Amino acid sequence: MQVYKFGGASIQNAEAIRNVGNILKKFQGDQLLIVISAIGHTTNKLVALTNAYLKLEPTATILLEELKQDHFQVLQELFPEQHPAIFDDLNNAFVEIEWLLEEEPGDTPEYIFDQIVSIGEVASSKIVAAYLNSIECLSTWVDARNYIKTDNNYKEANVDWVKTEAEVRKTLPAILNKGFVITQGFIGGTSENFTTTLGREGSDYSAAIFSACLGATSLTIWKDVPGVLNADPKWFERTEKIHELSYHDAIELTYYGATVIHPKTIKPLQNHNIPLFVKSFKNPEETGTKISGVAPPVSIPSFIFKVNQVLISIMPKDLSFIIEENLSQIFQTFHAYKVKVNTMHNSAVSFSVSADYEEEKIQKLIADLSINYHIKYNTGLELVTIRYYNEETIERVTLHKDILLELKSRHTCQLLMKNKPVMQ
Ligand code: ASP
Ligand code: MG
């Protein structure tokens, strides 16, 4: 059996969903589990809705109405002759949010976030399942929350692999014998059946979890790009497709911030030796990229860009050396504020760290660190990681830039930079 994952862009409107239907029609009769993300930018809107609700702002209800309208619009286009069951079904998904909004927020923001934001995937998967059945691609909708079992670390839940594998194996193989299985990415459930989410963009990870637990022969992630490219077309004019990639290289690229696949996706696949294909839903016949255990070395350099970086330099106030004891205290503080470290570097009396500049979080972190350390920081920086770098590629990305930090290992070079001031 195989697992397919379709992201938000592939189902962003009725036409896109019809295209997905055309792709899937060709696989009728195959054992296929299909993981679906929320439609288009639904999740961002649901996040805005959650924030408004938490601040008791009236925009929450307006955003909900907009989202409902967007989804019903898609349904109307897919089922012009109406289709009562799915219209009711979709309405029921949004009623969950309506009920929540009627009460004042009474739980933790993280818990509330997961209850609201998860509805995006519930809604989209219901629409896709109904549409596939209407074009005679027999499909069963299943609730991922009954299969992906997690702890209650809301917003970034950890998977309980033993329970998840047991649930998946208990019922899914029989359902797969009846036709396609449609389920949601991104969401899971606790042992008390509360909804959790696995972290933003986590649908790829969901697909990998299902693949691993079912022993799939392969996972295919359908994207709006032809495969894994050596740079994000958003930042680079000329990009090249990487035809084959090892799990190891894929993990490194996603770790440094390549957004093409969620970083947690590769490990479960590697553990079970399941190949991952990244293909274009716009050109489904093209080969895409294959990620597996047996790939030739990558022959072209890859570039990963992260903007809006902050470089924080941390110096003990008593001018003591940076030793393990300080480091463990510093890391604990980063962990407490959930700040992810992108690069780090230490000298005898100072330790420097770069991270995404999420202002509120970083300012709190800095205030806390300032109790025991002198802190200096620099914002508005850009972090470029080059995998399989050479001097020419470094020159290319550092043009007109001041380099604040340069880290090199055998295969990877990371440059933290600022634009050079423009001379008058
Ligand atoms: N819909 C979720 C998000 O936007 C999960 C995903 O797309 O992978 O974060
Ligand atoms: Mg997405």
Side-chain angles (χ1 to χ4, degrees), residues 196-423:
T196 53
T197 64
L198 307 178
R200 286 301 308 268
E201 305 302 332
S203 295
D204 296 347
Y205 182 40
S206 302
I209 299 167
F210 279 111
S211 303
C213 293
L214 285 163
T217 47
S218 68
L219 164 61
T220 304
I221 295 183
W222 296 89
K223 306 239 359 152
D224 55 359
V225 284
V228 177
L229 304 175
N230 73 328
D232 188 333
K234 204 162 71 187
W235 304 111
F236 247 50
E237 253 174 56
R238 271 180 299 128
T239 55
E240 276 179 68
K241 193 185 86 181
I242 302 170
H243 297 276
E244 277 194 63
L245 204 56
S246 65
Y247 292 125
H248 180 91
D249 274 324
I251 287 177
E252 293 282 345
L253 291 178
T254 57
Y255 170 79
Y256 290 120
T259 52
V260 59
I261 319 161
H262 188 278
K264 286 186 179 168
T265 312
I266 308 293
K267 207 73 203 145
L269 300 175
Q270 183 177 24
N271 289 346
H272 293 80
N273 208 14
I274 299 168
L276 166 63
F277 295 93
V278 179
K279 293 178 76 160
S280 162
F281 59 79
K282 293 176 179 164
N283 295 302
E285 306 302 331
E286 281 181 14
T287 49
T289 297
K290 180 181 180 187
I291 301 167
S292 69
V294 284
V298 183
S299 55
I300 49 172
S302 293
F303 300 84
I304 300 142
F305 290 77
K306 272 176 174 277
V307 291
N308 197 22
Q309 297 293 296
V310 59
L311 178 64
I312 309 171
S313 298
I314 306 162
M315 291 145 287
K317 281 190 174 161
D318 56 5
L319 283 184
S320 59
F321 289 134
I322 286 283
I323 51 163
E324 289 74 5
E325 204 183 317
N326 306 335
L327 285 176
S328 94
Q329 194 188 40
I330 292 168
F331 278 118
Q332 267 170 24
T333 316
F334 272 81
H335 181 67
Y337 290 96
K338 294 194 171 160
V339 174
K340 289 187 184 151
V341 170
N342 289 336
T343 62
M344 53 192 161
H345 176 74
N346 71 304
S347 73
V349 291
S350 127
F351 182 60
S352 307
V353 171
S354 77
D356 294 354
Y357 187 56
E358 294 168 64
E359 193 170 354
E360 215 183 300
K361 234 161 70 168
I362 299 284
Q363 288 302 338
K364 281 189 189 152
L365 168 88
I366 289 175
D368 196 336
L369 286 171
S370 299
I371 300 169
N372 295 317
Y373 302 92
H374 287 297
I375 306 289
K376 281 197 211 149
Y377 70 97
N378 228 314
T379 57
L381 309 181
E382 181 183 322
L383 174 65
V384 180
T385 304
I386 314 172
R387 185 135 172 95
Y388 301 117
Y389 66 93
N390 55 30
E391 282 316 309
E392 188 254 309
T393 53
I394 294 179
E395 273 167 31
R396 217 160 110 193
V397 297
T398 53
L399 201 69
H400 309 305
K401 306 276 179 189
D402 280 331
I403 302 171
L404 282 81
L405 186 67
E406 180 169 338
L407 300 170
K408 277 182 183 166
S409 65
R410 197 147 59 97
H411 295 310
T412 308
C413 172
Q414 292 197 287
L415 301 144
L416 198 62
M417 306 182 289
K418 205 181 178 110
N419 281 339
K420 272 206 167 96
V422 184
M423 297 294 174

Side-chain angles (χ1 to χ4, degrees), residues 5 8 37-38 43 121 186 199-204:
K5 182 255 169 175
S37 296
T43 308
E121 267 69 12
F186 183 49
R200 286 301 308 268
E201 305 302 332
S203 295
D204 296 347

